[in-house]
Each structure stands twice: as C-alpha cells, then as structure tokens.
C-alpha cells in the first residue's frame, strides 16, 4: 500500500518518486525562466516510461504545471494572442494526430532545434508585423509538432518573444498557450485510445508538486532584474536547442 498503490503497473516506486520530485523542479524552472521545464520533464519521463504512454502522460503533467502558472500570473496574460493561438492549435492537433506516425522523429527534432536557434539569434519579424495570421499559423504548426515531439514550449516561447513580450507577460501568455495546446493534445490521445484512469493518482501527485514549483519559480521571477532575465532566457533557449539537435543526430 502507500505510495506504491498509486503507481501504474509499468512504473517502479523509485522512478515514481523521481518524477514526482522532478515535477516540482521543472515547474519552478519554467515559472522562473519562461521555458525549459517541459523539455526537461519529457527527457526524464523518457528514462522510464514506454513510448506508448510518454507523450500522453507528459501532456497531463504539463497541463497542470502551466495551469498553476496561469492562475498565479493571470493579470499579465495577453488574451488576444492566446485566442489567435487557440484557433491555430485546433487545426494543428486535428492534422497532427493522424500524421504524427508518418514523420520521422529525427527530422522533427532537428527542425525544432534549428527553429529555436533562429528565434534566439536570427532576424526576428518586427512586433507590428506579428499579426493574427502569424499566431494562427504558429498555433497550427506548433500543435502539429507537439503530437510528434511533445515539448514545443521553446517553439511557442520564440513566437511570443518575437512579438515583443518580456518577463511576466511572456511567461504568463506562454503558460496560457501551453494550457491550450496540451489540453487539445490530451483530448486527441484520449480519442485514439489512451487510458488515463490508471495514471490518475500519480498524475495528481505530480500536478500538485508542479503547482508548488510554479509558486516558488514565480517568486524568483518577480525578483529577477530584466537584464539577467534576458540573458538567462537566451542561454536557456540555446542550451535546449543544442540538446535537441544533438539528440536528433545521436
């Protein structure tokens, strides 16, 4: 009984405890820097979960983690951008669900890593040119990608950063867009047969720890000077992109 009783059949007690604790730290990372936690959690889950459940479980955990950030930072959300992103995401998930298996994982990861590097170092469109069509298209493209590689948070963050959002508005709007995207992804995996019921107790524990991590990370964000935030954001984006590119070739 005890902790073991809440675990699905293919999760060991040690790994179950590890991913509950990882939910706290990765959520705090994302709340403080605006990104990074989702990809880190995906990598950790990949160490002990079968591929058949990896993306669905990751989607639930990230939905809970981002929802807690939305609640904490709701006054900073740029709602018009979220609406445009949502419209594109509906289309993207509808397209991505049936075609995900046909796209080689190596190509998808390489494209994702290169896009992140471009978003950090490339010539970004000016904010006044990032209109509704851009965010509808961005929602569609990243939602197709999330059905293939799972962690598209850096991609969405790059889109929002190109719009000119910084610090709290960037983190809050990014979290809201990810709630939209992960929610649609969870629905899609449910429709194609993934059973969430046996994962419910463990997922509840991970989401609760993620909410605590969001609170801790948000407190750090409020105290972080703008110059340090920009530098940390750029470094984090670069490291994530290089990790993805390396993984594609490896």
């Amino acid at each position: 009984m005890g902790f073991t009783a809440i675990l699905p059949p293919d999760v060991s007690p040690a790994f179950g405890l590890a991913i509950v604790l990882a939910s706290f730290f990765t959520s705090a990372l994302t709340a403080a820097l605006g990104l990074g936690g989702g990809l880190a959690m995906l990598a950790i889950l990949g160490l002990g979960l079968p591929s058949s459940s990896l993306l669905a479980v990751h989607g639930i955990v990230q939905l809970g983690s981002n929802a807690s950030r939305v609640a904490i930072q709701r006054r900073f959300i740029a709602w018009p951008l979220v609406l445009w992103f949502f419209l594109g995401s509906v289309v993207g998930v509808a397209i991505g669900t049936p075609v995900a298996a046909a796209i080689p994982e190596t190509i998808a990861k390489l494209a994702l890593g290169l896009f992140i590097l471009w978003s950090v170092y490339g010539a970004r469109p000016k904010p006044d040119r990032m209109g509704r069509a851009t965010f509808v298209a961005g929602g569609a493209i990243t939602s197709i990608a999330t059905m293939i590689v799972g962690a598209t948070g850096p991609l969405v963050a790059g889109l929002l950063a190109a719009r000119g959002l910084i610090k709290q508005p960037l983190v809050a709007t990014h979290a809201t867009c990810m709630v939209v995207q992960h929610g649609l992804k969870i629905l899609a995996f449910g429709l194609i047969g993934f059973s969430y019921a046996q994962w419910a107790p463990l997922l509840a524990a991970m989401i609760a720890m993620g909410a605590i991590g969001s609170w801790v990370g948000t407190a750090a964000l409020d105290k972080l000077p703008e110059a340090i935030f920009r530098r940390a954001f750029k470094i984090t984006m670069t490291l994530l992109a290089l990790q993805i590119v390396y993984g594609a070739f490896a």
Side-chain angles (χ1 to χ4, degrees):
M1 299 299 290
F3 181 69
T4 305
I6 74 171
L7 299 176
D10 50 1
V11 176
S12 68
F15 187 70
L17 180 60
I19 59 179
V20 169
L21 294 176
S23 183
F24 168 84
F25 289 108
T26 57
S27 186
L29 171 66
T30 304
L33 298 183
L35 74 164
L39 188 59
M41 176 56 75
L42 185 67
I44 294 168
L45 290 174
L47 296 176
L49 293 188
S51 59
S52 59
S53 58
L54 175 58
L55 292 184
V57 171
H58 177 262
I60 287 277
V61 174
Q62 291 307 115
L63 176 65
S65 178
N66 283 285
S68 63
R69 282 190 290 281
V70 170
I72 294 170
Q73 303 172 356
R74 59 188 178 277
R75 68 185 184 277
F76 299 110
I77 298 170
W79 287 108
L81 302 185
V82 174
L83 174 61
W84 304 336
F85 185 84
F86 167 76
L87 295 176
S89 294
V90 172
V91 176
V93 169
I95 295 172
T97 301
V99 305
I103 301 177
E105 184 177 355
T106 297
I107 294 176
K109 287 186 175 180
L110 181 60
L112 177 60
L114 293 177
F115 178 88
I116 296 170
L117 289 173
W118 170 82
S119 72
V120 174
Y121 298 103
R124 301 177 186 173
K126 295 181 179 180
D128 59 0
R129 296 182 182 179
M130 298 288 283
R132 298 180 183 180
T134 302
F135 279 86
V136 172
I141 294 170
T142 58
S143 294
I144 292 172
T146 198
M147 300 302 298
I148 302 165
V149 297
T152 54
L155 196 81
V156 177
L159 186 70
L160 293 171
R163 176 71 181 188
L165 298 185
I166 57 175
K167 210 171 179 181
Q168 283 96 341
L170 174 62
V171 174
T173 306
H174 177 260
T176 309
C177 288
M178 298 314 296
V179 166
V180 167
Q181 194 171 83
H182 287 303
L184 292 171
K185 179 169 68 175
I186 291 165
L187 176 62
F189 277 115
L191 290 175
I192 62 176
F194 183 80
S195 177
Y196 291 104
Q198 65 177 345
W199 290 87
L202 179 59
L203 288 170
M206 294 177 69
I207 290 171
M209 289 298 289
I212 298 172
S214 291
W215 181 81
V216 172
T218 299
L221 174 65
D222 291 338
K223 299 177 181 178
L224 197 63
E226 186 66 41
I228 296 177
F229 174 82
R230 285 180 173 273
R231 189 176 301 112
F233 182 84
K234 189 171 186 178
I235 292 172
T236 303
M237 290 279 274
T238 302
L239 292 176
L240 290 174
L242 292 176
Q243 177 186 343
I244 294 171
V245 171
Y246 172 79
F249 286 109

